[in-house]
Amino acid sequence: MTDHAETDTKDEQKKVPENFQDQLAFAWDYIGGVYGTILTILPVITYIAVNALTSMWPAIWASIGTAVLVGIFQLLRKEKLAAAFVGLGTVLITSGVAVFVGEAKGYYLLGNWITVGIGSILLLSVLVRRPLIGQVWAAANLQGTFWRRDRKSRFYYDLATLLWSMLSFSRFAVERWLYNMDETTWLGIARLVMGWPLTFFAVMTSIWAVRKVDGRRKLYDPNYKDPKEKAESGDSADAENSGSRGE
């Protein structure tokens, strides 16, 4: 088996975990794992704590400082430059909104509206019969359009996409209620509690949908080709090319 064929097979197996433990690991890695999750929520935790103890401005500077330290730590670990700046950029923008609004709760305002925007896009994709989870997964893994022609496959992706949408609207509703109630500390806590745990659950549901659709592709898609067959075809092609060169 060629190295390229082995890589293709391993990548596909990694992208579509088969057993439950692998699916849990895949979902956990998707949201960043322990390391990624901690780095993501540290600036928010800092903001919540400092604002509860003091006021908005110390909380903003503490959050920005934490984001800078996180970025430096990421750079020292030789992670991608973009990863180091995305977190800092997000904190700067959310802090800017808080300053513009003039209230500590403004720190969460932009994220709240982004959440409802994402939920709306996801819901719209289901209504136009192009569930976004299916669109993204099929495009990223070159799986064609079989799932759009197969009613059950589209149903699975509809469910996964609707779940993401429902969770987005739920987060928006809870955070908006707390925002209107001026419960800034609880607003921050809700942002954390309804963040990565719900995302983890949604990713697990998406994996379930992907597995279901892959099962139907194997049975009903005439263009489906098993990764092992692809690998064998690659071996045959390599052997023929080698023979041709030998002649």
Side-chain angles (χ1 to χ4, degrees), residues 143-194:
Q143 292 184 346
T145 59
F146 163 78
W147 67 273
R148 293 209 308 244
R149 300 189 302 271
D150 183 64
R151 182 175 298 179
K152 284 190 176 181
S153 294
R154 193 171 65 243
F155 172 74
Y156 293 134
Y157 281 141
D158 279 342
L159 286 181
T161 305
L162 283 173
L163 177 66
W164 280 93
S165 179
M166 181 185 70
L167 294 180
S168 296
F169 286 127
S170 298
R171 287 184 61 185
F172 172 78
V174 171
E175 291 180 19
R176 192 64 189 175
W177 175 68
L178 291 170
Y179 185 92
N180 292 333
M181 293 290 291
D182 291 324
E183 295 286 352
T184 305
T185 299
W186 282 106
L187 178 57
I189 294 173
R191 172 65 57 86
L192 295 176
V193 172
M194 300 186 74

Side-chain angles (χ1 to χ4, degrees), residues 28 31 37 167 190-203:
W28 185 240
I31 66 171
T37 301
L167 294 180
R191 172 65 57 86
L192 295 176
V193 172
M194 300 186 74
W196 66 263
L198 294 186
T199 301
F200 180 82
F201 177 66
V203 171

Side-chain angles (χ1 to χ4, degrees), residues 30-152:
Y30 179 86
I31 66 171
V34 175
Y35 165 73
T37 301
I38 291 175
L39 291 185
T40 301
I41 66 177
L42 268 180
V44 180
I45 292 176
T46 302
Y47 185 86
I48 294 171
V50 176
N51 181 68
L53 294 172
T54 57
S55 61
M56 181 184 75
W57 276 105
I60 286 176
W61 289 116
S63 179
I64 293 174
T66 303
V68 170
L69 291 176
V70 168
I72 293 173
F73 181 68
Q74 289 174 310
L75 290 176
L76 290 176
R77 288 175 58 93
K78 298 182 179 180
E79 296 185 13
K80 292 181 179 179
L81 193 62
F85 283 102
V86 166
L88 177 59
T90 301
V91 171
L92 288 174
I93 292 172
T94 54
S95 298
V97 174
V99 173
F100 179 79
V101 173
E103 296 179 288
K105 65 182 182 180
Y107 187 86
Y108 309 103
L109 185 59
L110 180 61
N112 194 219
W113 285 110
I114 290 176
T115 297
V116 75
I118 292 173
S120 300
I121 293 172
L122 290 165
L123 178 59
L124 180 62
S125 73
V126 173
L127 294 178
V128 299
R129 302 168 67 86
R130 293 292 187 273
L132 200 57
I133 299 300
Q135 289 285 122
V136 171
W137 184 267
N141 295 277
L142 304 176
Q143 292 184 346
T145 59
F146 163 78
W147 67 273
R148 293 209 308 244
R149 300 189 302 271
D150 183 64
R151 182 175 298 179
K152 284 190 176 181

Side-chain angles (χ1 to χ4, degrees), residues 5-18 26 137 141-143 210-211 214 217-218 224-228 230:
E6 287 178 354
T7 302
D8 288 343
T9 303
K10 289 178 181 178
D11 286 346
E12 184 151 348
Q13 289 174 345
K14 183 178 180 181
K15 290 176 182 176
V16 190
E18 294 186 0
F26 180 89
W137 184 267
N141 295 277
L142 304 176
Q143 292 184 346
V210 167
R211 294 297 304 162
D214 276 356
R217 285 180 61 229
K218 292 175 184 178
Y224 176 80
K225 195 168 185 179
D226 188 91
K228 293 180 180 179
K230 290 181 182 179

